[in-house]
Amino acid sequence: MSQLRLLTSRLGLRALRLLAPHDVQMSSWRSRSSGPQTTFPGSRGGGGSSYMEEMYFAWLENPQSVHKIRGHHVAQLDPLGILDADLDSFVPSDLITSIDKLAFYDLREADLDKEFQLPTTTFIGGSEHTLSLREIIQRLESTYCQHIGLEFMFINDVEQCQWIRQKFETPGVMQFSSEEKRRLLARLVRSMRFEDFLARKWSSEKRFGLEGCEVMIPALKTIIDKSSEMGIENVILGMPHRGRLNVLANVIRKDLEQIFCQFDPKLEAADEGSGDVKYHLGMYHERINRVTNRNITLSLVANPSHLEAVDPVVQGKTKAEQFYRGDAQGKKVMSILVHGDAAFAGQGVVYETFHLSDLPSYTTNGTVHVVVNNQIGFTTDPRMARSSPYPTDVARVVNAPIFHVNADDPEAVIYVCSVAAEWRNTFNKDVVVDLVCYRRRGHNEMDEPMFTQPLMYKQIQKQVPVLKRYADKLIAEDTVTLQEFEEEIAKYDRICEEAYGRSKDKKILHIKHWLDSPWPGFFTVDGEPKSMTCPTTGIPEDVLTHIGNVASSVPLEDFKIHTGLSRILWGRADMTKKRVVDWALAEYMAFGSLLKEGIHVRLSGQDVERGTFSHRHHVLHDQEVDRRTCVPMNHLWPDQAPYTVCNSSLSEYGVLGFELGYAMASPNALVLWEAQFGDFHNTAQCIIDQFISTGQAKWVRHNGIVLLLPHGMEGMGPEHSSARPERFLQMSNDDSDAYPAFSEDFEVRQLYDCNWIVVNCSTPANYFHVLRRQILLPFRKPLIIFTPKSLLRHPKAKSSFDQMVSGTSFLRVIPEDGAAARAPERVRRLIFCTGKVYYDLVKERSNQCLEDQVAITRLEQISPFPFDLIKREAEKYPGAELVWCQEEHKNMGYYDYINPRFMTILNRARPIWYVGRDPAAAPATGNRNAHLVSLKKFLDTAFNLQAFEGKTF
């Protein structure tokens, strides 16, 4: 039995599974103790002992003896030859590396020439059915232990494993034609000479070049070529900054002069916003794929420096493009994600994104992941950057095959990428290509890597560039001549020089030329809104009634719903008859009316189908048939747009990024993400800060995503109370000190100029209107809505159909409409507030019989600040003290935002006094009694008309 350790120690578990019958999975071999034993064919003339059988039982006796060393662990992956791509990799002392070690296993050299019958589960024989042990070892080593290392044996699907085996084991599979080799050389020339050109022209500029992994350009082009051949028409890419300019130039085919002019410090910005550095910009381009002669659309999504943050955004955009094309199987649209090794292992959003890959409402039917494995992260050694053997191990959680490849072997890279693309388009599953390479320069061109990696960079300085290596190989085998190679270099250098000359004529930078998601026909040809008006957002009463009737019914026959849900539906029917709506029904009517108008609505987030607070119930579940569901919203009209409502995985960062990407694809969809509780959005803060708040300013990219953030101080503790409105308001770009000029289109113009819209609605009708306004506006802005919790069932928080019918609109401010409004000269105090606290104030005012002395005005749209309406309200009550009342602590909530804006409106002639909770570190108390005491305290102050006497501001 020791004779077989030659195979098991050298090739490990992979050899066992390659040569063993595969009618049962490896994990079940030890558990199956009954039934006939597996018999392996014996050696030809080898007596009664079977080498294969002995090897199989050796593994059964001691799996650890063959488990540690696998083919990919000893593959020659590092171009520098100084590091192991696998941090756990080592060569054991008993590994046979020379003939004199054969005796250790009671083997003689002659034993290596004994022949074996090959099982049908391996493809190393090609057309041969028997091979010598020496040849078996040589062929398996050639497949698994050279410049390609494969990880796929963890996949629990025999067909998929066999598919990969066949692609890599079959003799001669990596044979390339002369035409293919010449194309590969030409692509390497373009990749490398582009970097050389930038280095010559702008030696002191940061550009995050691709030197050391120039093969990534032909790698990406191969993935695109193969995918195009298999029917893909639209490829959406996401990548970090390293190599981005090269990808823009040589993969997306951005005009070179547009890239080169970005280096001109005198270039003026012509577009709105602040712009972004050149290696963050995106691009959208439709062209002919020269290999397949088919149309291909390529989109490189703009992204910030925050590594991997773009991953879920790309997936969301891909999902949306598939949806609008009716491409449910991902046969027309796919995504490619490029990663760095340190970020792929270190950033949690990678894991979150992988876990969306097979969820029904999030799957993009497979992504090709390309890891540029520099074997270093900025200055950090991999041994200090990850605990896993490979940076790619995160992909194992979704059974994605992982193909490691030495990036200094271009043909191996191209073959692996072709197989990866074929895998994705055959099985519609993720796949990872790990390009093990190096970074010729520091983190950027100005960085000195010798400070921290002296030995690595001494070797890099000696390293022959991959282009020269490959060119020498092709010249030696007479595939190209030296003259042809030099002409190819001169040809591309000339292209770059000519483009450089044209770039000097560029005086103005147009960021809109770098859009990654254009919306044809939505804006004018100049990228401007077609109007600065917004129609009214009310709808006919018969439409309200129809939606209400469907919302209170079960459209499917023989569908048994929960008795508690029957009461909820009965309540909806009753409200519809009485012409009133609560929060859930108002939302239903907003969504339903947009669906009638052809607008796709997608609502995503944790538990959104039912709603965190059990108020929505957009998906009904049959109580007697497992997994039978009904979505009444999709039964409103025969020709309506589809409605998607989907519970997400327990992720905020990944899912919000996904929905942001989904909203990028089309302006004609209402895409909403709801947090389970408002404060949970802070685990997605990167998406909010880097994409939603700043996306238009940096990339001239409009986006109409809606964030629904449950918010309210209700004694539930510090973690379920505040959606942190102060953070959104701090990032709002309207100027607190600029007194605006009021014009007829002021309301819409103000919305157009802002970076996002922040609202806290106090009525269901206003919630209905703001959702519809989001689509009816002639442009798109992110909408942040602080949604209620207790108001969902508050008896006073209901609206009449009269506030929603045709001719009605969203109210930015809801003024006092009671006794105080009828006699404004008698009002002693005007309280401004927003959201739920209004109902507490009204109740307390009634208790103290101050309806004619205290007016209460609700600020529904907080940002952009409604200067015109606030001015009107303040002037209406000239003798009244002005008070801002909020339930949040003073250093939170809205006060720091509204205070300077009130001062601007009032010309600092009158104060706006603060009433609310005192400053605090935590958003809310965890003690119910303390919550009620603080509530009573600030309500008492709000209606104490002497509270501010003698105080100055």
Side-chain angles (χ1 to χ4, degrees):
M1 193 155 56
S2 61
Q3 295 154 318
L4 270 298
R5 290 177 186 157
L6 170 66
L7 279 177
T8 59
S9 63
R10 186 69 180 94
L11 299 170
L13 192 54
R14 173 157 288 105
L16 282 172
R17 294 187 65 179
L18 291 168
L19 300 174
H22 213 295
D23 57 338
V24 292
Q25 293 298 306
M26 181 191 69
S27 60
S28 65
W29 284 1
R30 302 195 69 179
S31 63
R32 293 184 62 176
S33 57
S34 61
Q37 292 187 344
T38 304
T39 302
F40 288 77
S43 64
R44 182 180 294 175
S49 174
S50 166
Y51 284 131
M52 297 300 174
E53 187 175 2
E54 289 181 10
M55 179 172 68
Y56 171 64
F57 287 110
W59 180 82
L60 287 181
E61 288 180 8
N62 182 14
Q64 293 303 315
S65 68
V66 296
H67 183 262
K68 291 182 180 177
I69 303 299
R70 303 185 179 104
H72 60 85
H73 290 303
V74 293
Q76 302 163 32
L77 298 176
D78 180 18
L80 303 177
I82 59 175
L83 292 175
D84 293 314
D86 168 16
L87 298 184
D88 287 347
S89 182
F90 69 96
V91 180
S93 59
D94 58 349
L95 179 65
I96 293 181
T97 55
S98 59
I99 291 177
D100 61 349
K101 287 191 176 184
L102 286 171
F104 183 84
Y105 296 100
D106 298 326
L107 286 170
R108 297 183 301 277
E109 186 174 0
D111 292 324
L112 296 177
D113 295 319
K114 292 182 179 179
E115 292 203 357
F116 295 87
Q117 182 78 29
L118 295 173
T120 58
T121 51
T122 183
F123 300 91
I124 60 172
S127 60
E128 300 174 85
H129 301 293
T130 63
L131 288 176
S132 68
L133 184 58
R134 185 193 307 275
E135 185 64 16
I136 289 172
I137 294 171
Q138 188 277 324
R139 292 193 184 188
L140 289 174
E141 283 186 345
S142 177
T143 297
Y144 295 108
C145 305
Q146 297 303 309
H147 287 166
I148 298 173
L150 306 177
E151 289 187 272
F152 67 94
M153 298 305 286
F154 49 78
I155 297 174
N156 300 318
D157 187 295
V158 176
E159 178 193 358
Q160 293 174 7
C161 288
Q162 287 296 90
W163 188 91
I164 294 173
R165 284 194 185 98
Q166 185 172 21
K167 291 295 179 183
F168 288 96
E169 289 182 3
T170 304
V173 290
M174 282 183 55
Q175 298 298 318
F176 292 86
S177 68
S178 294
E179 180 185 353
E180 289 170 329
K181 291 179 179 181
R182 293 168 71 94
R183 182 190 304 129
L184 173 54
L185 180 66
R187 288 174 170 180
L188 275 175
V189 165
R190 286 175 172 259
S191 176
M192 193 153 196
R193 296 304 289 178
F194 177 82
E195 297 294 350
D196 290 347
F197 185 83
L198 296 185
R200 290 197 309 273
K201 296 295 185 183
W202 298 282
S203 59
S204 60
E205 281 272 354
K206 286 184 184 179
R207 52 187 170 80
F208 294 97
L210 197 54
E211 293 99 327
C213 194
E214 293 91 345
V215 75
M216 186 184 84
I217 298 303
L220 292 178
K221 291 176 78 69
T222 298
I223 294 169
I224 293 168
D225 292 344
K226 188 65 177 180
S227 299
S228 174
E229 177 188 316
M230 298 185 74
I232 292 294
E233 300 172 354
N234 191 337
V235 178
I236 299 163
L237 295 94
M239 68 175 296
H241 40 280
R242 185 165 312 286
R244 191 180 193 88
L245 296 180
N246 207 324
V247 169
L248 283 165
N250 289 313
V251 178
I252 309 295
R253 300 276 180 83
K254 180 73 175 173
D255 290 340
L256 290 178
E257 56 264 36
Q258 291 283 345
I259 297 174
F260 295 158
C261 75
Q262 292 273 337
F263 288 91
D264 185 353
K266 298 179 182 178
L267 196 66
E268 298 179 7
D271 299 305
E272 57 178 288
S274 54
D276 201 351
V277 291
K278 48 192 167 289
Y279 39 81
H280 287 172
L281 299 176
M283 178 60 187
Y284 176 95
H285 187 46
E286 297 180 24
R287 63 175 175 83
I288 297 292
N289 182 281
R290 294 177 181 174
V291 174
T292 62
N293 201 34
R294 296 177 176 178
N295 286 322
I296 190 84
T297 298
L298 302 176
S299 176
L300 177 62
V301 177
N303 66 277
S305 287
H306 297 60
L307 296 173
E308 308 295 343
V310 78
D311 296 359
V313 180
V314 168
Q315 301 298 61
K317 178 173 165 57
T318 303
K319 182 68 174 179
E321 296 288 359
Q322 291 174 349
F323 172 84
Y324 295 125
R325 286 171 173 252
D327 182 23
Q329 302 302 315
K331 301 299 184 184
K332 299 296 182 184
V333 183
M334 67 172 285
S335 58
I336 300 174
L337 287 175
V338 181
H339 314 267
D341 53 319
F344 199 59
Q347 291 294 325
V349 71
V350 175
Y351 186 87
E352 291 187 36
T353 305
F354 266 117
H355 269 283
L356 297 175
S357 64
D358 205 28
L359 302 182
S361 295
Y362 301 87
T363 181
T364 57
N365 303 287
T367 296
V368 179
H369 301 265
V370 178
V371 178
V372 178
N373 188 348
N374 296 314
Q375 307 180 83
I376 188 172
F378 204 149
T379 67
T380 302
D381 187 287
R383 290 166 291 190
M384 306 301 157
R386 67 176 189 266
S387 297
S388 60
Y390 291 104
T392 53
D393 285 340
V394 64
R396 295 166 71 103
V397 301
V398 293
N399 281 332
I402 302 166
F403 304 151
H404 308 279
V405 59
N406 187 320
D408 264 12
D409 185 345
E411 290 183 5
V413 170
I414 296 313
Y415 184 74
V416 160
C417 289
S418 179
V419 172
E422 192 174 350
W423 164 275
R424 186 272 168 197
N425 290 294
T426 300
F427 296 106
N428 295 111
K429 291 185 61 177
D430 284 42
V431 58
V432 176
V433 176
D434 179 21
L435 299 178
V436 185
C437 57
Y438 57 91
R439 190 186 66 197
R440 186 167 289 277
R441 303 176 188 271
H443 175 66
N444 60 62
E445 287 69 25
M446 303 297 99
D447 194 45
E448 176 50 78
M450 292 287 284
F451 289 145
T452 51
Q453 275 76 32
L455 298 182
M456 173 184 272
Y457 275 85
K458 285 178 183 176
Q459 179 61 39
I460 288 174
Q461 289 170 0
K462 302 175 190 174
Q463 194 76 3
V464 178
V466 65
L467 176 60
K468 185 178 188 326
R469 284 173 181 259
Y470 192 58
D472 289 346
K473 175 180 180 293
L474 297 192
I475 291 169
E477 63 186 38
D478 292 329
T479 301
V480 297
T481 66
L482 177 60
Q483 180 180 351
E484 288 173 327
F485 173 56
E486 291 174 343
E487 286 175 353
E488 188 69 33
I489 290 176
K491 173 185 172 184
Y492 189 67
D493 286 353
R494 189 163 53 251
I495 291 172
C496 290
E497 286 290 351
E498 291 172 356
Y500 176 65
R502 293 192 299 272
S503 74
K504 293 181 178 180
D505 298 329
K506 303 287 184 183
K507 303 300 181 184
I508 298 177
L509 170 64
H510 294 278
I511 299 295
K512 60 173 170 261
H513 293 164
W514 298 75
L515 267 178
D516 53 22
S517 303
W519 294 338
F522 186 70
F523 293 111
T524 66
V525 291
D526 296 322
E528 298 296 323
K530 293 181 177 179
S531 73
M532 270 297 163
T533 60
C534 180
T536 58
T537 47
I539 60 176
E541 183 163 343
D542 64 322
V543 176
L544 293 172
T545 302
H546 175 72
I547 297 173
N549 290 335
V550 174
S552 55
S553 66
V554 182
L556 300 183
E557 294 182 1
D558 301 322
F559 195 97
K560 178 73 172 178
I561 63 173
H562 192 277
T563 54
L565 185 55
S566 296
R567 290 192 296 271
I568 293 173
L569 298 188
W570 181 89
R572 290 180 183 173
D574 186 59
M575 283 189 289
T576 302
K577 290 177 184 176
K578 295 177 179 177
R579 302 180 68 253
V580 296
V581 296
D582 63 3
W583 222 271
L585 192 52
E587 180 183 77
Y588 218 110
M589 291 178 172
F591 291 176
S593 60
L594 291 173
L595 296 173
K596 184 179 188 297
E597 295 162 16
I599 300 299
H600 169 48
V601 178
R602 176 183 169 93
L603 172 62
S604 163
Q606 295 158 27
D607 312 299
V608 297
E609 294 178 6
R610 190 203 75 170
T612 301
F613 310 103
S614 195
H615 68 291
R616 183 173 285 124
H617 296 286
H618 283 189
V619 178
L620 311 182
H621 293 259
D622 194 310
Q623 299 297 297
E624 296 178 350
V625 181
D626 185 35
R627 290 189 292 184
R628 186 188 184 206
T629 60
C630 172
V631 181
M633 193 85 76
N634 279 321
H635 296 265
L636 289 167
W637 288 278
D639 56 349
Q640 68 173 71
Y643 173 54
T644 301
V645 56
C646 45
N647 290 341
S648 73
S649 64
L650 200 67
S651 155
E652 287 84 25
Y653 191 167
V655 175
L656 179 55
F658 187 97
E659 301 307 331
L660 175 80
Y662 198 101
M664 284 168 52
S666 170
N668 299 314
L670 182 68
V671 181
L672 309 96
W673 175 78
E674 182 175 69
Q676 191 179 66
F677 287 91
D679 52 334
F680 292 172
H681 77 74
N682 58 16
T683 62
Q685 199 69 47
C686 178
I687 297 295
I688 294 168
D689 291 356
Q690 310 306 322
F691 290 90
I692 301 178
S693 170
T694 57
Q696 185 178 349
K698 293 192 293 188
W699 308 315
V700 199
R701 176 205 284 164
H702 284 238
N703 195 297
I705 190 169
V706 180
L707 274 60
L708 304 178
L709 307 178
H711 171 84
M713 309 294 116
E714 296 172 0
M716 298 299 292
E719 266 67 62
H720 290 155
S721 297
S722 177
R724 296 291 191 175
E726 65 277 2
R727 294 181 179 172
F728 293 94
L729 295 173
Q730 183 191 37
M731 290 187 284
S732 297
N733 68 350
D734 59 331
D735 189 347
S736 62
D737 300 321
Y739 194 96
F742 303 133
S743 58
E744 287 187 9
D745 62 357
F746 173 74
E747 178 180 351
V748 177
R749 176 71 61 180
Q750 196 183 31
L751 293 173
Y752 179 70
D753 291 338
C754 74
N755 61 320
W756 57 18
I757 304 165
V758 181
V759 304
N760 188 352
C761 300
S762 63
T763 69
N766 234 15
Y767 178 53
F768 162 87
H769 284 298
V770 80
L771 290 175
R772 287 186 48 78
R773 186 184 73 170
Q774 187 69 357
I775 289 297
L776 295 178
L777 284 169
F779 45 81
R780 294 291 175 262
K781 298 286 177 173
L783 173 61
I784 316 300
I785 306 180
F786 302 118
T787 55
K789 294 175 292 182
S790 63
L791 290 192
L792 295 173
R793 294 177 176 83
H794 196 292
K796 299 291 186 183
K798 291 185 178 179
S799 298
S800 165
F801 278 16
D802 293 335
Q803 298 168 303
M804 303 164 66
V805 294
S806 300
T808 58
S809 293
F810 174 72
L811 301 177
R812 292 176 292 151
V813 170
I814 301 180
E816 170 66 51
D817 61 354
R822 291 190 289 272
E825 69 283 352
R826 296 173 53 192
V827 172
R828 299 177 58 188
R829 178 168 292 177
L830 171 58
I831 299 176
F832 291 93
C833 66
T834 187
K836 178 184 75 71
V837 74
Y838 167 76
Y839 294 91
D840 296 320
L841 290 168
V842 168
K843 182 179 178 181
E844 184 63 23
R845 181 177 65 175
S846 176
N847 290 341
Q848 297 195 27
C849 301
L850 293 173
E851 288 91 339
D852 59 343
Q853 297 185 61
V854 178
I856 303 175
T857 293
R858 286 169 273 178
L859 185 58
E860 302 281 291
Q861 178 179 294
I862 307 156
S863 180
F865 192 72
F867 286 97
D868 52 337
L869 301 183
I870 294 298
K871 181 175 184 291
R872 183 189 305 167
E873 282 297 289
E875 291 175 346
K876 182 177 179 179
Y877 303 95
E881 286 182 320
L882 305 183
V883 167
W884 174 261
C885 183
Q886 65 180 39
E887 58 179 353
E888 298 81 4
H889 292 283
K890 187 175 183 179
N891 57 323
M892 303 173 195
Y894 320 91
Y895 181 65
D896 284 341
Y897 175 85
I898 66 95
N899 183 44
R901 288 162 178 80
F902 266 94
M903 290 297 97
T904 297
I905 282 292
L906 301 170
N907 200 22
R908 304 188 182 277
R910 299 164 66 185
I912 175 84
W913 300 108
Y914 170 79
V915 172
R917 290 183 168 94
D918 295 334
T925 177
N927 181 278
R928 177 70 176 174
N929 183 64
H931 164 75
L932 294 175
V933 168
S934 61
L935 173 62
K936 184 178 186 308
K937 179 182 176 183
F938 81 71
L939 288 177
D940 286 344
T941 304
F943 294 100
N944 179 358
L945 301 183
Q946 289 78 42
F948 304 108
E949 286 185 0
K951 292 189 176 183
T952 58
F953 77 100

